[in-house]
């Protein structure tokens, strides 16, 4: 029987998994619920339901931070729980993992060890740079294009990648993502309105408001805590307040893109200027975001439906295409990584 192959995109707040045997992609929140700081009793979507609602003895933890593994054992337990099939591990399967580009080789090795040294008893683990996986998932001809610019705006980070002829030319990892925007919204509401809202409420405001579309004056009712009286209450939050909160950190991302383009080799930059920038990641789905970023960078900016699934769809194509599998993925057992063993 042929071994199964899994493609793993381990995001800061969500895990996306491609299952070759079942030819399907599924998503699960990257979170665990720990009781009394000792016992893990819930993982994934079930654990996330308790976020900001859990009792005092239950802690909701995110094993990933800024795109890399922060709690190795917890992440390994969570991933193992998600990969069980009929309560048994899919032992001996092969795995392909999309990893952030601009991280150390030791941090990349942690992704490898996460699966290779788990109860899954993996036959092999191969690594793909997330920028390359994104480009393949977008349907681009990564092996022949002279210049591709991918901006992955995720939950915890933003990854900027310049690609050419199937390779990585330049890359940069910014610690700005959906979490940063939500914190900025909550902070501005607190300062301007003396009102405390949680992360989930800030996230809802970010997603429901068309903050990048001018002239849309609107307000939404939210529930939280009035800091003046100290009691639970509700208030109206205007779109202008949310717009001001998110644009400040995003301007830093636009500046990073402009700076990166100035350092890109001329022939690659010309190809990017002709093609434009491609947006992926969960934040890329915000209404009007491509137009806003295009105005800040002076380039055409494109996104696709479900941009948060681009990387895992790219892994799917790489797994199913022999040429992509050979040329775009690698093992940390290769000669170049002997020093990490």
């Amino acid at each position: 029987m042929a071994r199964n192959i899994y493609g793993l995109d381990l995001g800061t707040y969500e895990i996306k998994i491609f299952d070759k045997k079942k030819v399907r992609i599924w998503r699960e929140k990257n979170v665990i619920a720990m009781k009394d700081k000792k016992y893990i009793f819930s993982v994934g979507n079930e654990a996330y339901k308790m976020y900001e609602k859990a009792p005092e003895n239950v802690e909701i933890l995110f094993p990933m931070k800024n795109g890399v593994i922060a709690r190795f054992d917890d992440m390994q337990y969570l991933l193992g729980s998600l990969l069980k099939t009929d309560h048994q591990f899919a032992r001996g399967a092969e795995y392909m993992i999309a990893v952030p580009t601009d991280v150390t080789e030791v941090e990349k090795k942690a992704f490898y060890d996460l699966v290779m040294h788990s109860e899954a008893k993996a036959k092999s683990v191969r690594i793909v740079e997330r920028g390359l996986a994104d480009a393949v998932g977008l349907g681009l001809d990564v092996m022949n294009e002279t210049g591709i610019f991918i901006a992955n705006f995720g939950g915890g980070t933003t990854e900027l990648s310049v690609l050419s002829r199937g390779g990585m030319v330049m890359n940069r990892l910014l610690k700005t993502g959906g979490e940063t925007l939500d914190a900025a919204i909550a902070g501005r509401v607190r300062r301007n309105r003396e009102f405390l809202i949680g992360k989930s409420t800030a996230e809802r405001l970010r997603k429901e408001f068309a903050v990048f579309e001018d002239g849309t004056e609107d307000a939404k009712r939210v529930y939280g805590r009035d800091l003046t009286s100290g009691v639970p209450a509700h208030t109206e939050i205007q779109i202008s307040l949310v717009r001001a909160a998110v644009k400040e950190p995003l301007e830093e991302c636009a500046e990073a893109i402009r700076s990166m383009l100035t350092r890109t080799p001329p022939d690659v930059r010309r190809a990017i200027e002709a093609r434009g920038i491609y947006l992926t990641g969960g934040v890329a789905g915000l209404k009007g975001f491509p137009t806003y970023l295009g105005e800040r960078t002076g380039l055409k900016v494109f996104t696709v439906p479900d941009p948060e699934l681009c990387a895992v769809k790219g892994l799917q194509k790489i797994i199913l295409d022999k040429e992509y599998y050979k040329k775009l993925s690698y093992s940390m057992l290769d000669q170049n990584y002997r020093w990490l063993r």
Side-chain angles (χ1 to χ4, degrees):
M1 182 181 295
R3 298 180 188 272
N4 198 9
I5 304 179
Y6 293 102
L8 308 177
D9 179 20
L10 307 179
T12 303
Y13 290 101
E14 192 173 56
I15 298 173
K16 294 96 172 176
I17 302 174
F18 167 66
D19 184 329
K20 182 184 178 184
K21 187 171 289 186
K22 296 181 180 179
V23 195
R24 72 184 183 103
I25 292 171
W26 82 90
R27 308 161 67 172
E28 196 84 16
K29 291 294 185 181
N30 195 349
V31 59
I32 63 172
M34 182 172 289
K35 186 176 182 180
D36 299 326
K37 297 185 178 181
K38 293 188 292 185
Y39 309 107
I40 297 175
F41 70 94
S42 184
V43 301
N45 294 339
E46 289 301 314
Y48 190 75
K49 290 177 182 178
M50 293 183 280
Y51 185 53
E52 296 186 335
K53 306 182 189 72
E56 289 186 4
N57 68 328
V58 174
E59 189 176 6
I60 305 303
L61 301 170
F62 295 86
M64 299 277 290
K65 186 172 180 60
N66 295 329
V68 297
I69 303 168
R71 304 175 65 95
F72 187 88
D73 292 342
D74 292 338
M75 187 70 231
Q76 197 169 61
Y77 180 89
L78 169 59
L79 189 60
S81 298
L82 299 181
L83 292 175
K84 286 181 179 178
T85 304
D86 296 327
H87 304 289
Q88 295 293 324
F89 275 105
R91 292 175 180 269
E94 299 177 25
Y95 295 85
M96 183 174 290
I97 307 175
V99 302
T101 305
D102 189 20
V103 296
T104 68
E105 300 298 339
V106 173
E107 287 169 328
K108 289 181 183 180
K109 180 68 160 48
F111 284 93
Y112 174 89
D113 290 339
L114 181 73
V115 176
M116 181 56 75
H117 301 305
S118 71
E119 295 180 50
K121 305 296 184 185
K123 178 189 177 185
S124 67
V125 177
R126 295 185 70 82
I127 300 296
V128 177
E129 309 286 357
R130 186 174 282 122
L132 287 167
D134 270 326
V136 174
L138 285 164
L140 303 177
D141 185 3
V142 297
M143 303 305 297
N144 296 307
E145 287 290 344
T146 303
I148 300 172
F149 196 115
I150 302 289
N152 184 315
F153 288 84
T157 60
T158 293
E159 296 181 44
L160 306 179
S161 304
V162 173
L163 315 175
S164 180
R165 306 290 182 182
M168 188 69 63
V169 178
M170 299 176 66
N171 54 76
R172 184 176 175 186
L173 185 69
L174 307 175
K175 295 181 180 179
T176 301
E179 178 185 31
T180 313
L181 305 185
D182 297 339
I185 293 169
R188 190 166 287 256
V189 169
R190 180 168 185 161
R191 291 192 304 272
N192 288 28
R193 303 297 299 276
E194 293 291 323
F195 197 81
L196 183 65
I197 61 174
K199 176 189 175 299
S200 299
T201 302
E203 182 180 15
R204 181 171 66 84
L205 289 173
R206 167 170 59 88
K207 291 181 176 180
E208 293 182 1
F209 271 137
V211 294
F212 300 106
E213 297 178 2
D214 293 332
T216 53
E217 280 304 320
D218 199 0
K220 293 187 183 295
R221 174 174 289 191
V222 298
Y223 293 85
R225 184 177 298 277
D226 187 317
L227 295 176
T228 303
S229 63
V231 299
H234 62 78
T235 189
E236 298 288 324
I237 302 297
Q238 284 71 37
I239 187 174
S240 57
L241 188 150
V242 178
R243 180 183 291 131
V246 301
K247 285 189 175 180
E248 186 174 335
L250 287 178
E251 179 56 38
E252 297 178 10
C253 295
E255 175 57 33
I257 291 173
R258 293 191 294 265
S259 174
M260 199 165 177
L261 284 170
T262 62
R263 295 182 288 112
T264 300
D267 57 334
V268 178
R269 185 172 66 247
R270 282 194 294 270
I272 292 170
E273 290 171 348
R275 260 195 175 277
I277 297 171
Y278 295 91
L279 301 186
T280 66
V283 177
L286 294 178
K287 296 177 183 177
F289 186 38
T291 302
Y292 166 81
L293 201 59
E295 293 172 352
R296 297 305 184 276
T297 61
L299 297 179
K300 296 174 288 186
V301 179
F302 305 95
T303 188
V304 294
D306 302 319
E308 69 275 15
L309 295 180
C310 276
V312 72
K313 287 181 178 178
L315 291 176
Q316 177 179 353
K317 291 181 181 180
I318 293 169
I319 287 170
L320 299 177
D321 187 297
K322 290 183 179 179
E323 181 184 8
Y324 278 169
Y325 186 92
K326 180 179 179 180
K327 294 184 177 180
L328 300 182
S329 69
Y330 60 90
S331 169
M332 300 203 88
L333 295 180
D334 291 347
Q335 188 72 15
N336 291 340
Y337 294 94
R338 289 186 62 185
W339 64 277
L340 281 171
R341 297 177 196 172

